[in-house]
Amino acid sequence: MEIRLLGGLTVQVPARNVHLGTPKQQAVFAMLAVQPGQLVTLDDLVDEVWPDGPPRSAVANVRTYAANLRRTFEAFDSGRGAIVKQQTGYRLTLRPELIDVFSFEAERAAGREALIAGRPDRALELLGCAVARWQGTMLAGVPLGPVLSAHVVAAEEERLLAVELLADVQLRSGRDDLAIPLLRDVIARHPLREPAYVLLMRALYERGDHAGALVAYDDLRTRLTAELGVAPGLDLQALHRAIITVAPPQQPSAEITVPGRPRRPDLVDHLPRAVTDFVGREDVVSRLVAETRRVEERVPAVHIIDGMAGSGKTTLAVHLARQLSVGYPDAALFIDLCGHDEKNRVEPASALATLLRQLEVPAGHVPVEFDARVELWRRELADRRSVIVLDNAASSEQILPLLPTDPTTVVLVTSRRRLSHPSVGPSQTLPVLTTDEGVDLLALTVGRERVDAEPDAAVEVVRRCGHLPLAIRLAGARLAHRRGWRLADLAEQMAGATAALRHLAGEESTVTGAFAASYEPLPERTRRVFRFLGLYPGASFGSSAVAALTGLTLAEAREALDDLVDRNLVEDLDSTRYRLHDLLRQYSVELCSRTDSASDRRLGLAQLFDFTLEAALRAAETLEPGVTEFHVTRVPFGRPELIEGIGEPTADWLEAERADLVTMVLSALDSGFHEHSWRLARAFWRFLYIRGYFEDIIRTHRPALTAAEATGDIDAMALMNNYLASAYVRTGDNRAALSHLTRAVALARDSRDVLNTARYRANLAAVYWWSGNLTEAVAVGVECLRDYKGYGNVRVPMVLPNLGLALTSLGRYEEALRLHRLHLAWARTHSDEFHVLNALSHIGAVRLRMGDLPQAIRILRASLALRDRTGHRYAEAEVRNDLGIAYRGLGRLVEAQQQHEMARELSIGSGERHVEAAALNELGRTLLAQGRGGDAFERHREALRLATRIAHPYEQGRALAGLAEHFVRVDLVEARRHWERALAIFRRMGVPEHFEVERRLTKLGDRAVDAGR
């Protein structure tokens, strides 16, 4: 398999191209392809596919695109397992070398290394292969969002560098006939690219075409003046003067990074000793080296590396400086500016004196006047090719006087703050290590054999260290001196709210000390915000939540967050959401418990839970107007400006906050805020239900039930039991659903809540239906429907579909159709889109079973379209499964298979095991219709195992019947046995399928008689 991105997007397997679907689906695949092996989250994919604002159905659409792509790749042996679904997104597992852009990068890098090693012929070969891979613009024809656009721009820059390097090598080898067309093509596409003009002028001059070289220069000068208002760079001007005076062109050095001047014999090296166990960071190093090469002939290369304390900024800067010193051999300087220590901070004048002394300028020659000192510094650098590390900078103002003006120097600046100034450009924020990099670093400290002996424990230690290099080194050092400890012992001891920090200390270094150096200089209000962030239960937070937690105004909270982001104590995710690193959270918790009183901490949590509950209730009102307030009494919220700060809460807000809201319910219970816990769970329920997040309902409503029980509120206890049952029935745990629902009915009766007693009894019909007790389901449904006038018709929408489903299963289609139409009429009258799409699904299912396939397809597709428009994903898997049955009935077997497979994947994602069993059975029947009996047998066998495990008798019977269809061709005894077991189930349930099984058994008996004759 080969994936091509350079010149469009194609995937090739032997003898054919793979169809990647719609443009948006191609964009999803492109996101995976440019990041092979990395998890690409659903949020990243949504932001990429809809950069101007996603529709409500964006997440569901992305899942559909991903499911289609996975199915497409599974069809090929080389593509099986290529796209892996993980909890929060997807990952492309193919090796990078199968993707042309990564092969290009590898060949380009190898070509440069070959040239440095003095092997120009090998460099020509590799660079030629790299350049030849480009067949046009990267990802041409694919809709590009911000991430893909950035990859395309970066790759195009790498291509230009490769072309220019290839042309340079060709010129060195006397092949100007090859270099000139290559360079003219670059200039035609990029008419302001000065490095290409330098090479072209040199090529023309060396072949004797002085006039052509001068014309090229005049052409560039005219363009630069007209479009940018600047003159050509110094290299071009020097080459132009040489041509005018008919001087011989300067011969390049054999080392491409070193111009004509030989290496100084008096090397000055003041860099600290490089660590021996430097690992990872290849992408950052490659990017900074490439940026240096891009600008080094025109301006000084200045790189600012920022990051949180302990992230390895200095280690990276020294490592990179050592690499770059090959091309900058005259001086390697280093100074710690102590930017995080106000008392010992190095002022620019003192820094200049130190750096000049490092350059061996005599002390008596260092000027007293600051301006003269700056001038001497820059004059000294102009005569050297140097690399300088300015460590721990406090601000742009501190480093500006230290920056050179001539393109002979590389400056690497590290800082715990984000520095931004027009003269220095944007910072490169250093992320924490990946898991693999962290494990490699740990192995270098404690020994590879210990890590290989306990790989899972090693990963856990790295995770407990927050993937922070300083923390991993300290943890490794602690373990290295304790040979009797296992990695698992250390991981276990590091568990807990603040336990890890106690184990991350050495003789002269601690993670806590590193954090304190960033925390202590903060203003008191900002320090308090940082401490209280440790109380926040979720993974990420917005400014409104921080304002609620701390009691600050929204403006004050935003100002404090900006300060914390600038100092790399808080990570800015997207300008509206923020996150604390795990170890910084532990540090925050420790500080808060030591500094702030218990009453202040409890007040902060109360304010946070009040705000969160108010926002969730407002969002819930958009999904079920009037219903939530009926269950949860609203308490006036005194800070409306915080709600305004997040915009009007909607289902999209609930989607974005889903993980944190789940955590909030648990945290409220643990903190003793029982009312907040169960109320928040109730406010959250409808959203989780219509989006198919049934596992989240269980995760929130089980603790919420405990919270309700702690309050002694019978109505709340009944509510939580009812909604727990809604999730258990959808995930196939009918026994738990029946238990909770029966408890809800009893509690409602005890409190004389007539209306909710009726609601919960109506829900019992659904549980009986899923459990296969169809007669009981109909009896309960009819009883509820008969008595609806006594309870008020607010209960009618739930009675109608539940009873209709049971009647459909019993083959009473006309009665079922009548009820589902009443449900649809009610939903339209009340403008309830959720009930409209639900009623359409049920009507389509009845039409399907009545044999009206075209009409069924039309209605089912209308239901899916409404789901796409509204973002409601409830029962989508069932609708797609029914749609597949209809397609199969019309002989459209490929489309049928696609729908069944999509239904299966959706049901797995939502945890709906009964729907997964149904999808497996229908997929088996479709595969059998395609003549794939062996595959059909396996699907029915999977369905039988699953249906048996969840006690779903109907799908058990259908799986047995499907297996019998296989055995009838190979073993009549086994076929009879399976049909007889299926018949017993169908007769007990009273479903019409028993007629078909009886007919097959009769036919099987006739075959046996004929065989006996």
Side-chain angles (χ1 to χ4, degrees), residues 15 39 180 220 229 255 363 381 392 438 459 473 530 598 617 816 844 926:
L39 174 67
I180 290 174
L220 175 62
E255 280 191 39
L381 290 179
N392 284 322
V459 170
R473 291 180 191 278
F530 176 75
L617 286 171
T926 297

Side-chain angles (χ1 to χ4, degrees), residues 57 452 747 821:
S57 59
D452 289 344
L747 287 167
R821 283 171 172 167

Side-chain angles (χ1 to χ4, degrees), residues 3-6 8-9 11 26-40 44-45 48 90-96 98-103 105 134 138-140 142-155 283 287:
I3 299 175
R4 296 179 181 173
L5 310 182
L6 306 178
L9 175 59
V11 177
Q26 292 177 33
V28 169
F29 179 73
M31 281 285 284
L32 301 176
V34 298
Q35 304 169 82
Q38 299 182 34
L39 174 67
V40 183
D44 291 339
L45 293 170
E48 184 67 19
Y90 299 89
R91 181 166 54 87
L92 185 69
T93 62
L94 297 178
R95 302 189 310 278
L98 298 177
I99 305 171
D100 59 355
V101 69
F102 294 98
S103 298
E105 290 176 357
W134 286 77
M138 179 177 172
L139 294 177
V142 176
L144 305 179
V147 174
L148 291 178
S149 296
H151 277 280
V152 168
V153 170
D283 55 339
R287 186 161 56 250

Side-chain angles (χ1 to χ4, degrees), residues 371-384:
D371 289 345
R373 193 172 291 184
V374 172
E375 182 181 354
L376 175 61
W377 164 246
R378 290 174 175 167
R379 193 166 60 245
E380 287 289 333
L381 290 179
D383 193 38
R384 294 175 169 87

